Amino acid sequence: MPQLEATATLDYQSDVYKDAYSRINAIVIEGEQEAFDNYIRLADMLPESQDELKSLAKMEKRHKKGFQACGRNLSVVADMEFAQEFFSKLHQNFKVASEANDVVTCLVIQSLIIECFAISAYNIYIPHADPFARKITEGVVKDEYLHLNFGEEWLKAHFEECKDRIDAANRENLPIIWEMLNAVAKDAKVLNMEKEELIEDFMIAYGEALSNIGFTTRDIMKMSSYGLRG
Ligand code: Y39
Ligand code: Y39
Ligand code: FE
Ligand code: FE
Ligand code: FE
């Protein structure tokens, strides 16, 4: 990975960079806001984990503020309308699941799929980020592992009874993540974030999560392949 070389060629003040950043920055700001809302909703659904979930939500609020500062630092105006559209399908699926009190699907969407998406994107972004955004993102990504861990632990503890529901939620939502990646790939490339690296990191993080929860390698292979059927 020619990261140093690639970073040296980025001009963070160029119009091309700032144009792409206006959408990527908006995606992370919107994503962090929706993550906040989702953990608040989960705190209602899981009273026994209320305090922990509220503390995760608080972190998401902090992440949002951090990324807003990253945009301001580059004098970029985030395209929030684009970002809301970007998240609309996952947002809708989370809403339907939460209205049905379907904790398993809510956890699969937010704590597995979206957190793995964030972890892979932030890890790929860090070596290419401007120094201000790099510091912020390094702090954020540490928290995202805690969020992923919450989902893993809960689903692992209820594995036998929720196995089929996890599989169904995966089948429904992984193709959406694949679409989202494709919608942002061109802008990500301007920030020196390669699509292939994003997919690779995502699949590693997501496969590890499924394994920690209790799925076999065979299950994981099958479940990962559903991402391609979007
Ligand atoms: O749990 C969280 O904090 C997740 C909401 C944040 C997701 C951010 C999504 C990042 C996608 C960026 C795409 C760049 C290729
Ligand atoms: O190429 C593949 O193996 C596809 C099955 C996988 C689709 C899973 C979606 C990947 C989303 C990556 C998001 C990175 C931020
Ligand atoms: Fe690279
Ligand atoms: Fe976050
Ligand atoms: Fe998170």
Side-chain angles (χ1 to χ4, degrees):
M1 260 175 278
Q3 272 158 1
L4 287 173
E5 191 191 318
T7 304
T9 67
L10 282 178
D11 177 359
Y12 302 117
Q13 287 302 330
S14 69
D15 289 344
V16 180
Y17 191 90
K18 285 168 71 170
D19 175 61
Y21 206 83
S22 71
R23 285 177 295 277
I24 304 259
N25 185 232
I27 287 170
V28 300
I29 292 167
E30 176 66 20
E32 298 294 352
Q33 176 62 48
E34 295 199 16
F36 171 84
D37 297 338
N38 293 348
Y39 282 114
I40 292 292
R41 180 72 190 101
L42 278 160
D44 283 340
M45 295 164 87
L46 293 171
E48 70 279 15
S49 303
Q50 187 150 47
D51 292 345
E52 191 178 358
L53 284 160
K54 281 191 175 159
S55 112
L56 301 188
K58 220 178 260 171
M59 294 179 206
E60 304 295 21
K61 193 64 120 196
R62 221 176 357 185
H63 298 170
K64 177 187 171 185
K65 291 190 175 136
F67 288 127
Q68 285 174 322
C70 293
R72 274 198 304 276
N73 180 56
L74 294 181
S75 313
V76 165
V77 179
D79 185 346
M80 296 313 295
E81 203 180 313
F82 173 84
Q84 280 170 16
E85 174 66 26
F86 181 81
F87 276 104
S88 59
K89 282 189 187 170
L90 271 193
H91 180 87
Q92 179 63 19
N93 284 359
F94 186 95
K95 184 167 180 283
V96 169
S98 75
E99 280 165 3
N101 256 302
D102 179 352
V103 174
V104 173
T105 298
C106 287
L107 285 173
V108 171
I109 292 174
Q110 174 59 47
S111 299
L112 294 190
I113 296 182
I114 297 183
E115 297 295 352
C116 285
F117 190 61
I119 285 168
S120 56
Y122 296 163
N123 278 326
I124 300 291
Y125 173 57
I126 285 167
H128 304 292
D130 67 81
F132 181 87
R134 184 181 304 190
K135 266 224 176 64
I136 302 249
T137 310
E138 281 168 348
V140 167
V141 77
K142 287 197 191 105
D143 291 341
E144 307 302 2
Y145 285 105
L146 302 176
H147 304 173
L148 171 61
N149 187 256
F150 178 89
E152 286 176 355
E153 291 299 324
W154 197 95
L155 293 166
K156 182 181 173 179
H158 302 81
F159 184 64
E160 279 317 317
E161 64 272 26
C162 65
K163 200 173 185 244
D164 293 342
R165 193 86 276 283
I166 300 174
D167 187 64
N170 171 76
R171 197 179 295 222
E172 227 173 281
N173 292 289
L174 207 53
I176 299 175
I177 285 289
W178 182 240
E179 273 178 44
M180 288 162 75
L181 174 68
N182 284 318
V184 83
K186 205 167 151 239
D187 288 326
K189 171 84 179 141
V190 174
L191 275 57
N192 269 347
M193 299 165 70
E194 298 291 340
K195 183 175 165 182
E196 290 68 27
E197 286 185 65
L198 290 163
I199 296 169
E200 186 181 321
D201 267 41
F202 177 87
M203 294 316 296
I204 291 169
Y206 193 60
E208 256 173 33
L210 294 175
S211 166
N212 291 340
I213 290 167
F215 286 100
T216 64
T217 304
R218 189 192 155 88
D219 292 332
I220 295 167
M221 298 270 187
K222 210 171 96 201
M223 290 169 80
S224 303
S225 74
Y226 290 130
L228 294 171
R229 300 187 190 174

